[in-house]
Amino acid sequence: MALITAAEARGHIPQTAGTAEDTLLDLWIARIGDVFARWCGYPPATAGSVATMESTSYVRYLDGPGGRELMIDVYPLTAITSIYDDSGWTWAATELVASGDYAILDGSMGMVLLTETATHGTWYKARRSIKATVTAGYTTVPAAVKAAAILAVRNCWNLRSEQGRSNVSGGGVSLGLRDEEIMSPAVQEMLWPFRLGRALL
């Protein structure tokens, strides 16, 4: 999967010559997906992998908050495979919290709540006591993120001909140029509402 397709990018770059440039566009789209995800605070799902804003499986180690509320730091949160709560950091089978003890209260913010009848009672208040295997990220890419990706790809395209040049002349007119940025202010403004809390710390 990717934030956008090469065809969607081509629709906003008049200079592209049909599908001949799709390999290059796909490369940029993949790199931009990783850049966007990291800027928004999404960690790679596994060591050495690229980050993504799209739905994927994570294993997250989090500080135990105490009380009944637990905030998963990657969201939107769509599913929970397991949660262990162990202040001793062994996360053995005996420390597995029964799935019936908790529910996703607000997936858009990653909030999980222990039920009032939970056998587990409360989360430990301890460093990295939580080991949560979850599915989080966007199953459908938001329109604003798509628009930002299209703009970033177009910026990459423009860099091919404009990078390092201060002006372009033609017909007796000289126009000043500036290097395009992948994470331009316009791109950042579109992505800002999608930044995770962990990106702002």
Side-chain angles (χ1 to χ4, degrees), residues 36-182:
F36 278 18
R38 291 176 186 275
W39 190 81
C40 287
Y42 289 84
T46 57
S49 66
V50 298
T52 180
M53 297 176 70
E54 297 176 88
S55 181
T56 193
S57 178
Y58 294 91
V59 178
R60 303 300 298 154
Y61 295 89
L62 307 168
D63 292 346
R68 295 172 54 211
E69 292 183 9
L70 171 66
M71 303 300 294
I72 305 298
D73 64 347
V74 183
Y75 44 85
L77 176 67
T78 56
I80 300 173
T81 302
S82 64
I83 300 180
Y84 292 81
D85 192 6
D86 181 12
S87 59
W89 296 8
T90 61
W91 303 290
T94 54
E95 307 300 335
L96 177 65
V97 180
S99 60
D101 275 5
Y102 55 81
I104 298 174
L105 182 64
D106 184 354
S108 67
M109 295 301 293
M111 182 183 291
V112 178
L113 185 69
L114 286 169
T115 66
E116 292 184 353
T117 58
T119 302
H120 193 63
T122 60
W123 305 109
Y124 291 131
K125 189 174 180 61
R127 178 169 171 76
R128 289 176 63 87
S129 62
I130 301 292
K131 177 186 177 183
T133 302
V134 303
T135 301
Y138 294 96
T139 54
T140 300
V141 180
V145 176
K146 277 183 169 287
I150 288 169
L151 179 55
V153 170
R154 193 172 67 188
N155 288 348
C156 286
W157 181 274
N158 291 340
L159 278 171
R160 299 174 76 194
S161 59
E162 297 177 2
Q163 189 171 29
R165 299 176 63 188
S166 60
N167 62 75
V168 60
S169 300
V173 177
S174 179
L175 298 175
L177 297 175
R178 66 176 180 83
D179 284 349
E180 295 284 1
E181 306 170 61
I182 294 176

Side-chain angles (χ1 to χ4, degrees), residues 5-11 16-30 153 157 160:
T5 65
E8 287 173 317
R10 272 191 275 110
T16 49
T19 59
E21 303 288 355
D22 280 7
T23 299
L24 177 60
L25 292 175
D26 284 336
L27 176 63
W28 283 342
I29 289 166
V153 170
W157 181 274
R160 299 174 76 194

